[in-house]
Amino acid sequence: MGFRVVAANQQPDFRTICRFRAEHEAALERLFVQVLRLCREAGLVQLGVVALDGTKVEATAALAANREYQAIEAEVQRMLAEARANVTDPASRIMKTRQGYVQGYNVQAVMSQEENDQHQLTPMLHTIKCTLEAAGIAERPQVVLADAGYWSEANLTTETRPEGPELLIATTKDWKQ
């Protein structure tokens, strides 16, 4: 309900929110770190176990808008001739979800174009470390929990370090067991 007060009971278009986020990314990151510092000073930060998870967020692009290379090449030639056409959301990707496929993004703490979470473990752990450092928090997670989307042999062999947190990653999705 607070967002309605801030937005003067308006419903901003998703493009407006996206532009605002892109234009103020550094300021929003600094704001997050300031809030984390305030939480630390108030004694509200206690690390031990950190759980990671991603979720698929549908993009505005239509799944049916995907094309083969030859079709894209022909469309690009037509677009260049017109000198101003645009695909609805070219940064989005085809993502598999429990309900089927969506044209969208794999949302983590930051937006990613990766189709799944497998390659997000290292960036997420790095982001946690950098954010805690920026907030002046010396404590680090002792254990990181992650769902099966983060499972890969490479994640276990490259991420396991003596000084790093213990990684507990599910090997299969619950519905596949």
Side-chain angles (χ1 to χ4, degrees), residues 1 26 87 95-96 139 158-159:
M1 196 54 107
V87 180
M95 306 279 174
K96 186 175 187 319
E139 190 178 2
T158 59
E159 289 305 322

Side-chain angles (χ1 to χ4, degrees), residues 77-139:
Q77 293 305 318
R78 182 186 59 76
M79 292 167 72
L80 288 174
E82 292 176 9
R84 62 173 202 264
N86 185 3
V87 180
T88 56
D89 196 348
S92 63
R93 300 288 183 266
I94 297 174
M95 306 279 174
K96 186 175 187 319
T97 69
R98 289 183 185 185
Q99 291 79 27
Y101 289 89
V102 297
Q103 184 74 26
Y105 300 94
N106 179 4
V107 179
Q108 303 287 320
V110 294
M111 198 176 296
S112 167
Q113 290 180 330
E114 291 287 332
E115 288 79 15
N116 59 50
D117 296 337
Q118 240 180 35
H119 304 292
Q120 294 304 307
L121 184 62
T122 298
M124 293 299 292
L125 292 174
H126 180 72
T127 298
I128 290 169
K129 179 180 178 256
C130 291
T131 304
L132 291 172
E133 285 175 0
I137 299 172
E139 190 178 2

Side-chain angles (χ1 to χ4, degrees), residues 46-61:
Q46 185 177 28
L47 294 174
V49 176
V50 173
L52 298 178
D53 194 7
T55 189
K56 304 301 185 270
V57 177
E58 194 168 349
T60 58

